[in-house]
Amino acid sequence: MKIKDLMDGCIVGTGTDYVVIQKERKRYLIEIMPNTIKELKNASTPYGSQID
């Protein structure tokens, strides 16, 4: 499964390094390893954007 397949789901839980998404009657755990978040200079799309 790809992340884009879960885009119309609802976030039903979060933690320091995970997100739980419910889509239809199923729940999916997405672990974020390593837990780093980078802001992109161009907010419209991550493709071709420069990282600060």
Side-chain angles (χ1 to χ4, degrees):
M1 175 173 278
K2 297 180 180 180
I3 291 176
K4 70 178 184 175
D5 297 332
L6 298 173
M7 293 305 290
D8 58 345
C10 295
I11 296 175
V12 293
T14 59
T16 56
D17 60 351
Y18 69 90
V19 175
V20 178
I21 296 178
Q22 182 169 346
K23 184 174 179 182
E24 298 169 359
R25 294 187 172 186
K26 295 183 179 180
R27 289 186 179 195
Y28 301 94
L29 174 70
I30 300 173
E31 290 184 289
I32 302 161
M33 301 296 228
N35 54 358
T36 58
I37 297 174
K38 295 183 180 181
E39 182 177 348
L40 302 175
K41 288 184 178 180
N42 299 329
S44 61
T45 178
Y47 304 106
S49 298
Q50 294 178 342
I51 298 174
D52 287 338

